[in-house]
Structures are given as C-alpha cells and as structure tokens.
Amino acid sequence: MSKSVVIIGGGIIGLCSALYARRNGMEVTVVDREPKGHHGCSFGNAGMVVPSHFIPLAAPGMVGMGIKMLFNPEGPFAIKPSLNKRLLRWGWLFMRAANEAHVKASGIPLRDLHLLSRRLYEELADESGDAFGLHQRGLLMLCKSQKTLNEEAHVAGQANDLGLHAKVVDAKALAELDPTITMDVAGAIHFEDDCHLTPGSLLDWLRHSLEAEGVVFRDETEIVDFAMDGPWIRSVETRTEKTRADQFVLATGAWSGELAERLRLKIPMQAGKGYSVTLNNPPQLPGICSILTEARVAITPMGSSLRIGGTMELTGNDLSINRKRLGGIFKSVPQYFPEFKTSDFEGQEVWSGLRPCSPDGLPYLGRSARVQNLVVATGHSMMGVSLAPATGKLVSQLLLDQETTLNLDAFNPNRFDLND
Ligand SMILES: Cc1cc2nc3c(=O)[nH]c(=O)nc-3n(C[C@H](O)[C@H](O)[C@H](O)COP(=O)(O)OP(=O)(O)OC[C@H]3O[C@@H](n4cnc5c(N)ncnc54)[C@H](O)[C@@H]3O)c2cc1C
C-alpha cells in the first residue's frame, strides 16, 4: 500500500513537493487556504533561477547596510519597529548569523541545491514542451558605478572558486551581449549558470500535471491545528474537519513559523514583502534577466512582457502596498535603462508577495526532530522558485526515508529549535 502525505501549502514549494512525492508512489493531497490559482508568494515573483545566489542574506555588512537603507523612505529595505517577540528573536538570530564563517559554510550547500534545481527545471521544461518559458541565458548584475562593479567582481571570483561561470563585462561588451536594450551602466557581472522562467505558467503547468497524475487538491482549506498521537501527527484540522495521513509536509511559506508553533516547534520566520509590476508593452524588451545592483531591483523578460520587482520589507504578514517604496523601484529603472520613463509604470497593477525569510538566510529542509512524521520545506526567502524542484525532490526522498541526493545538514529545520 502506498503511503499517504498531506502537503500544507500550495505555493511553488508545496507543488514541487507534490510532484516528486506522487512520482515516488505516494498518495498526495495538497491543502491551501487560498482559492485555486492563488499561490502566495509564488506567483508574481521575478522567476529567476539563481545559482549565483550562493551568499545567504545573513552576511557581513548586511546589518549596517540595512540600517543605512532604513532612513530612505523610497529605499529597497524596511523594518516596522516593533517589540514583537518573534521579530526581536529573528533579528537577534540574523545578527548572530551575519558573519564570514556562515557565508563560507553556506556556499557549497546553496550552490548544490540551486544546481540540482536547474537540472530538474531543464527536465521539466522538456517534459512540458516549454510550457513555462525557461531561458538559459544567465543573469546580469548591472552596476551603475565602477565601485559597485569592482565589489561585484569579487563575488564573481568567489563564484568561479565554487565552479560557477561568472565574468565581468564592460559597458561595450554588455551592449553586444544584449543588443535589445539600451543600458547606461559601468558594466555587469554575467552569471552564466542562471536562468529565468514565467512563474504563473510554471504553477499552471504543475497544477494541471498534478491533477492529471491523481494528486488531490483541497483549496480554500485553512489548517488551523493538528491532532497528535504522542510525537506523531494524526491529522490536520480545519475549523470544521480533519484530514488523516501517514506523513505531513509544512510548506506554508511566510506563515510557517506561526503554524509550526501549533506543533510547539520553533521555526523562526519573518515575511519579507516585495512588489512587482508587469509591463505588457515595455519600451524595450531585454533578452537576459538582470538585477539593478545598487537599486536592488529585479528585471525579467517573460514572453513579450517585462516584470520589474523589488523591496524587502519586514513589516509583518501584511500585503498592503507602500507607494513611496514602489515609487523608488520605478525611479530606478530609467537610471539603468534610459529608454524607460517612470510614467511607463503609471496605472499598472501592482502585485505584492511575502518571502518566507529564515534568520540565517537558509531554507528549512528536513525532518522535524520532535514530530516524527513531519517534513519541513520552507524559508526559501528570495530563492524559492530557484530552489523549488530540488526541494521537492529531496522532500519526496525524506518522506520515504530514502537516502537524499544532497547532504541537508545546512538546512536542518531543527537548528533553532534544539540549540537555543
Ligand atoms: C518581488 C519578489 C521577487 C522574487 N523573485 C524571485 C526570483 O526571481 N527567484 C526566486 O527563486 N524567488 C523569488 N522570490 C521569492 C519566491 O517568490 C519565494 O521564495 C517563494 O514563492 C516561496 O514559495 P513557498 O511555496 O514557500 O511560499 P508561498 O508561495 O507563499 O506558498 C505558501 C502557501 O501556503 C498557504 N498557506 C499558508 N498558511 C496556510 C494554512 N494555515 N493552511 C493552508 N494553507 C496555508 C498560502 O496560502 C500559500 O499559498 C521573489 C519574491 C518576491 C516577493
């Protein structure tokens, strides 16, 4: 008899976990409190697959930089000052992790998780007949100033040391690399292993495939508690009903910390809010996705549209839109792409999403030490799309107690539960 699993959360992490669990022979149910077609943070993001992101958010210099940015109301970073216990503890754990040793220890595990995902995306793109527009053209870190370019060149060197392909490109070579867009920059780092895709199409294709393969979806179903049998979850509970299974996966994104508390588990999490707008008729359409390095804005071509995304606001689980910060994103684009005007963004629909941010910038991926039949798969912060297929594959192996393709020690979901 095949084992059954309930996956709580139908974002990109939940759907990829469902895919590989089903293909590993399990009976799979995905439960999400939102209606069909809503996917938490996974819908309107920048769709980048980023082996270049091998440095976690918790890194030296980030605390000082964050504090400086706080004073700019149009800047990319915000924290709502609060005496909230969860936020204070998260902040303390972040500061504790933001050191060189942590960055060094995280590089290889993150690289391997990204590269496994990239390989799995290639397989899924082939299988789907290119249903979600995977483009393997790399990522450009565009730098306005020579100073930033020099700093980023250092990161490119670290990437090369990890076996990744990254090179410094000056303004002239950049214009040749992507002649479809006019750029006013000192140069860029071309991270050649990176790719981009269209997240909405990916989610649609996954849902369609999963339904065809017999995965059961329970939309508009909010899990509020768990019925326990000693250290085992017997069932998940909504306000009106219970669902039993052999195994459970916690993949509820930014909301995972609070739900984990119902299980008496400490999975520190803060929501990192970001915005995006998608221009259907952009003045120009680049061929390669990019990050405007100084402005911290992501730019991704998706079919004939162009998505622009940014900001990281630690302001609670709140999706409201801060127009000043949004204005900061819009103002930055013409500084790098002079054919664009801020007025190009007027009247555009704005999407907001909550990144699930762990305090050390690493995902939580593994079995709970205290709840025997729970696998945790969350906390992917700004890399959830990039890491999703690898996460899903590893979740499916964990569920069936198989040997995992990668060593998961760095992502241990119990790391703040037992040691603190
Ligand atoms: C502006 C922006 C740009 C980004 N760009 C990129 C990028 O280029 N590349 C990249 O890799 N990542 C990017 N990200 C990050 C990425 O979007 C996230 O890491 C990813 O979507 C997280 O996926 P998830 O499945 O963990 O969470 P979510 O997508 O948020 O899914 C969690 C789901 O759980 C459900 N849920 C929550 N609580 C419950 C409950 N109690 N019961 C039932 N269901 C529940 C929610 O309804 C939701 O559907 C970006 C994010 C933002 C905001």
Side-chain angles (χ1 to χ4, degrees):
M1 202 180 76
S2 67
K3 281 191 177 178
S4 58
V5 59
V6 167
I7 296 173
I8 317 166
I12 188 63
I13 299 297
L15 294 189
C16 283
S17 300
L19 183 78
Y20 293 104
R22 183 71 191 133
R23 292 183 178 182
N24 227 346
M26 300 190 81
E27 281 170 25
V28 182
T29 303
V30 178
V31 182
D32 199 293
R33 66 173 168 211
E34 296 289 342
K36 182 174 179 174
H38 285 249
H39 300 277
C41 192
S42 298
F43 180 76
N45 59 68
M48 295 176 183
V49 179
V50 281
S52 60
H53 285 39
F54 56 86
I55 299 178
L57 209 53
M62 287 305 282
V63 175
M65 195 165 71
I67 290 172
K68 243 193 262 163
M69 283 178 179
L70 280 182
F71 295 102
N72 177 2
E74 292 187 350
F77 180 65
I79 298 189
K80 187 172 167 187
S82 151
L83 290 178
N84 177 297
K85 253 171 51 190
R86 290 185 186 118
L87 177 64
L88 291 175
R89 181 163 185 270
W90 189 97
W92 178 73
L93 291 170
F94 182 93
M95 285 194 270
R96 207 180 65 169
N99 62 62
E100 208 51 69
H102 174 60
V103 170
K104 201 155 184 268
S106 306
I108 290 175
L110 277 178
R111 175 202 65 186
D112 290 349
L113 204 56
H114 283 295
L115 288 179
L116 174 59
S117 255
R118 186 189 196 277
R119 186 164 63 67
L120 295 170
Y121 268 130
E122 287 170 6
E123 284 175 21
L124 296 176
D126 278 353
E127 176 190 329
S128 72
D130 192 25
F132 50 89
L134 180 71
H135 291 286
Q136 296 168 282
R137 298 181 189 142
L139 160 80
L140 295 169
M141 292 294 298
L142 298 176
C143 303
K144 271 301 276 181
S145 74
Q146 189 60 42
K147 181 172 169 282
T148 312
L149 188 58
N150 295 345
E151 286 162 9
E152 289 302 311
H154 178 66
V155 180
Q158 290 175 288
N160 294 150
D161 291 344
L162 283 172
L164 297 169
H165 302 88
K167 56 182 183 225
V168 182
V169 187
D170 64 17
K172 186 167 170 284
L174 192 57
E176 283 163 21
L177 192 62
D178 194 351
T180 54
I181 184 144
T182 315
M183 293 178 261
D184 180 10
V185 293
I189 309 299
H190 188 201
F191 285 99
E192 296 172 339
D193 305 294
D194 290 11
C195 327
H196 67 266
L197 52 79
T198 304
S201 308
L202 171 65
L203 295 163
D204 285 350
W205 177 76
L206 278 170
R207 171 95 186 209
H208 187 261
S209 307
L210 289 168
E211 282 175 343
E213 292 180 35
V215 170
V216 174
F217 281 87
R218 298 192 48 215
D219 304 313
E220 300 180 65
T221 304
E222 180 173 15
I223 302 306
V224 293
D225 214 341
F226 301 86
M228 303 299 293
D229 185 357
W232 300 84
I233 301 173
R234 185 194 295 274
S235 57
V236 286
E237 302 182 345
T238 68
R239 286 190 178 80
T240 53
E241 56 188 278
K242 298 179 177 197
T243 305
R244 294 178 78 124
D246 301 320
Q247 303 276 340
F248 297 84
V249 177
L250 183 71
T252 43
W255 299 271
S256 304
E258 284 166 36
L259 199 55
E261 285 175 12
R262 304 298 310 166
L263 292 162
R264 300 180 203 283
L265 299 178
K266 282 191 207 151
I267 300 187
M269 187 77 78
Q270 285 295 314
K273 182 165 60 182
Y275 310 118
S276 74
V277 293
T278 307
L279 298 179
N280 291 326
N281 294 300
Q284 290 182 319
L285 188 65
I288 305 176
C289 65
S290 59
I291 292 178
L292 314 182
T293 307
E294 292 90 345
R296 299 185 186 274
V297 166
I299 310 276
T300 312
M302 296 183 183
S304 57
S305 303
L306 187 65
R307 181 164 295 169
I308 294 101
T311 85
M312 172 68 95
E313 299 177 28
L314 301 181
T315 48
N317 286 0
D318 150 44
L319 284 163
S320 64
I321 291 159
N322 178 324
R323 293 277 156 190
K324 272 211 170 121
R325 292 199 191 277
L326 193 64
I329 298 180
F330 298 160
K331 277 187 194 165
S332 70
V333 177
Q335 292 168 10
Y336 294 72
F337 300 143
E339 294 298 314
F340 284 67
K341 300 184 288 304
T342 28
S343 57
D344 294 333
F345 301 100
E346 275 166 19
Q348 296 292 333
E349 195 181 330
V350 180
W351 172 87
S352 63
L354 301 176
R355 302 176 186 88
C357 298
S358 66
D360 59 1
L362 298 179
Y364 297 108
L365 176 53
R367 271 201 177 277
S368 164
R370 289 198 277 131
V371 178
Q372 299 293 312
N373 55 344
L374 178 72
V375 170
V376 180
T378 186
H380 295 72
S381 183
M382 51 217 287
M383 308 179 290
V385 173
S386 187
L387 299 175
T391 299
K393 182 104 184 161
L394 292 157
V395 164
S396 75
Q397 294 167 340
L398 289 163
L399 286 170
L400 291 172
D401 292 326
Q402 296 168 346
E403 194 184 336
T404 52
T405 308
L406 299 176
N407 180 315
L408 298 180
D409 289 352
F411 310 124
N412 183 351
N414 311 296
R415 62 190 183 271
F416 299 116
D417 205 20
L418 303 175
N419 303 333
D420 223 49

